[in-house]
Amino acid sequence: MPRIISFEGIDGAGKTTLAKNVYGVLKKKGYNVILTQEPFTREITELIKKSGWNDPVLLTLLFSADRAFHIKWIMEQKPEIVLMDRYFHSTIAYQSVLGLDEEWIEEVNSKFPKPDIVFLLDIEVNEAIKRIRKDDQFNFEEKINTLEAVRKKYLELARKYNFIVLDAKSKIEELTEKTVQIICSLVKCS
Ligand code: TYD
């Protein structure tokens, strides 16, 4: 089983940049590391886009089905470390604020391996919105309106599951160094 490290946070927090940087450093150190992103499959991503943002049950099932393909693919790669730009805590955070029972979302996702470390990039919603790419493929207005609640839910999950909370406004170099250090204490980097 690979070490699973996930990066979470609201849209615009900068997870993708951080995950890419960390990937570069670990790769250079000689690790068999892969960097992946959810949603993973093109087909299910298309279905999510078509379904819109107002049906939390459908969204939960689609994101979770996509995850099943994602995990299967990861296992086939046999990596030592997998860096995941979003994992099942995204479904808990984003879909529960649409009024869906959090326990049910957890149950649907309970067969997937638990991450060894979850990094939560925390950022104020106003700041995050400035950073959201115009070409965000899920740029639903309804979603943007829920980001405040999603951020709050993430912070709640962070306390419950011991995420490592990072200040997304810190310098990217500092964030990268700190993140690598924490991962290295888990995998005993040389
Ligand atoms: P994002 O990382 O923003 O992808 P991209 O940069 O390619 O647009 O993720 C897509 C959006 O989907 C993001 O707003 C979070 C949301 N999402 C959920 O609501 N539930 C989930 O389970 C996942 C994985 C993502």
Side-chain angles (χ1 to χ4, degrees), residues 11 15 38-39 53 63 67 86 90-91 94-95 133 136-138 143:
D11 298 63
K15 303 166 285 82
E38 289 192 358
W53 206 256
F63 278 118
R67 185 160 299 127
R86 297 197 181 282
S90 282
T91 317
Y94 278 81
Q95 275 64 63
R133 293 194 327 265
D136 174 1
Q137 53 178 343
F138 299 101
K143 184 189 73 177

Side-chain angles (χ1 to χ4, degrees), residues 11-12 16 20 37 45-46 49 129-140 143-144:
D11 298 63
T16 305
K20 274 187 190 154
Q37 206 166 18
T45 300
E46 284 307 315
K49 279 196 261 178
I129 286 175
K130 286 188 220 156
R131 298 184 184 185
I132 295 176
R133 293 194 327 265
K134 295 285 171 289
D135 62 345
D136 174 1
Q137 53 178 343
F138 299 101
N139 205 356
F140 298 105
K143 184 189 73 177
I144 303 295

Side-chain angles (χ1 to χ4, degrees), residues 79-110:
E80 198 173 348
I81 304 171
V82 54
L83 304 175
M84 297 174 64
D85 180 354
R86 297 197 181 282
Y87 192 27
F88 64 78
H89 293 106
S90 282
T91 317
I92 302 176
Y94 278 81
Q95 275 64 63
S96 75
V97 306
L98 298 172
L100 196 59
D101 187 10
E102 192 176 319
E103 285 70 40
W104 180 71
I105 305 175
E106 287 190 10
E107 180 67 32
V108 170
N109 282 276
S110 60

Side-chain angles (χ1 to χ4, degrees), residues 34-98:
I34 57 174
L35 169 61
T36 68
Q37 206 166 18
E38 289 192 358
F40 178 72
T41 65
R42 193 173 38 80
E43 292 87 343
I44 299 179
T45 300
E46 284 307 315
L47 283 174
I48 294 168
K49 279 196 261 178
K50 264 192 247 161
S51 320
W53 206 256
N54 290 323
D55 186 335
V57 173
L58 185 56
L59 282 173
T60 296
L61 295 173
L62 288 173
F63 278 118
S64 306
D66 177 71
R67 185 160 299 127
F69 284 107
H70 187 198
I71 289 295
K72 183 167 177 279
W73 179 84
I74 289 170
M75 293 309 166
E76 285 164 7
Q77 312 307 305
K78 301 194 187 342
E80 198 173 348
I81 304 171
V82 54
L83 304 175
M84 297 174 64
D85 180 354
R86 297 197 181 282
Y87 192 27
F88 64 78
H89 293 106
S90 282
T91 317
I92 302 176
Y94 278 81
Q95 275 64 63
S96 75
V97 306
L98 298 172

